[in-house]
Amino acid sequence: MTGESPPIRVLLADDQHLVRAGLRIILETEDDIEVVGEATDGRQAVELTAAHRPDVVLMDVEMPHLDGLEATRRIVAAHATGGPGVLILTTFDRDDYLFAALQAGASGFLLKNGTPEDLIDAVRIVARGDALLAPQITRRVIAAFAGPASTAPGRPGTGGPNGPGQRRLAELTEREREVLVQLARGASNAEIARRLMLGEATVKTHVSRVLMKLGLRDRTQAVIFAYEHGVVTPGSAAN
């Protein structure tokens, strides 16, 4: 384990025993990761999350009694601040799962055909409070939300010019709004720093303030928010 930092506490939620066993073996080879429990369905995932307070929940989508998407909603709702990050892990590369997972409050979406290194990196990213979205998935989010409203599954309205989202937007400084635009284009902190000629530490501070002022959990929600509220318009994502 690096330094004196406590290990990352992970809860596994999957109805297949062999999958859980494989995930445990991969994760527990790392000194900074500890598997604290295993759930066989979504209902148990919610219960064990409350009992063990993990940092990350690895959540399958299709499970008995309660599916992973509804379990994610319940976990996020019960732990609005300081709760675990939920990393959706599935074999299904489907847009309906992707959007439902993001709308449920998931912090990441990872396909089971990834490598062990991908999984370990994903757990660490989500544990430190960042969102994980593979580049190809980010492009799909942008494509859906940059198009007509009817093409974005479950896309809510902006609430009009006087809606709560627009009022929160008005609280952003000019620089914070520029950072939000870059987030919506899928830029990393390093890319934002280069484009806006800022230090990466300064960018990180701006990102945190943007998320706080807009009441968002992570960068993924910032992408969706920016398109929903007209901060970025169709065709501007590549600029």
Side-chain angles (χ1 to χ4, degrees):
M1 186 164 48
T2 304
E4 297 182 357
S5 298
I8 299 167
R9 295 165 54 81
V10 178
L11 176 72
L12 307 178
D14 196 296
D15 61 334
Q16 298 183 44
H17 175 76
L18 286 177
V19 171
R20 297 196 311 275
L23 294 173
R24 179 183 282 272
I25 290 171
I26 291 170
L27 294 174
E28 291 194 334
T29 59
E30 303 299 311
D31 292 338
D32 62 335
I33 299 176
E34 174 188 5
V35 176
V36 297
E38 297 184 19
T40 59
D41 58 56
R43 186 168 57 199
Q44 192 176 38
V46 175
E47 294 169 353
L48 292 181
T49 297
H52 293 296
R53 309 290 293 186
D55 302 302
V56 177
V57 179
L58 273 179
M59 184 78 74
D60 189 26
V61 174
E62 294 194 340
M63 292 186 292
H65 304 304
L66 191 70
D67 67 40
L69 300 177
E70 180 58 29
T72 297
R73 290 188 192 95
R74 296 187 186 187
I75 289 170
V76 171
H79 306 275
T81 58
V86 179
L87 179 59
I88 300 292
L89 189 64
T90 180
T91 57
F92 301 100
D93 185 11
R94 287 172 40 179
D95 282 349
D96 54 345
Y97 282 161
L98 165 62
F99 284 98
L102 297 179
Q103 290 163 351
S107 296
F109 192 96
L110 195 67
L111 298 178
K112 287 182 179 178
N113 62 5
T115 66
E117 292 76 19
D118 290 338
L119 174 64
I120 292 166
D121 288 344
V123 166
R124 289 172 176 153
I125 288 169
V126 171
R128 65 175 182 251
D130 293 333
L132 175 80
L133 215 57
Q136 66 270 27
I137 295 176
T138 301
R139 287 194 293 271
R140 282 156 55 187
V141 172
I142 290 174
F145 281 87
S150 60
T151 68
R155 177 179 175 176
T158 65
N162 297 316
Q166 294 296 336
R167 290 196 295 270
R168 293 197 298 269
L169 269 176
E171 297 178 7
L172 298 184
T173 66
E174 182 178 352
R175 179 62 82 186
E176 288 165 354
R177 194 177 180 99
E178 290 174 341
V179 169
L180 177 59
V181 169
Q182 294 302 321
L183 288 176
R185 293 172 180 168
S188 66
N189 283 359
E191 289 168 334
I192 296 173
R194 186 176 68 253
R195 293 174 187 175
L196 300 183
M197 293 182 288
L198 298 171
E200 284 194 49
T202 301
V203 170
K204 186 175 181 180
T205 298
H206 283 313
V207 170
S208 296
R209 288 177 179 167
V210 167
L211 297 180
M212 179 186 66
K213 288 182 178 181
L214 298 181
L216 305 176
R217 285 174 57 88
D218 54 45
R219 301 166 75 100
T220 303
Q221 288 194 348
V223 173
I224 296 172
F225 183 97
Y227 278 105
E228 286 179 343
H229 294 83
V231 176
V232 180
T233 57
S236 68
N239 293 342

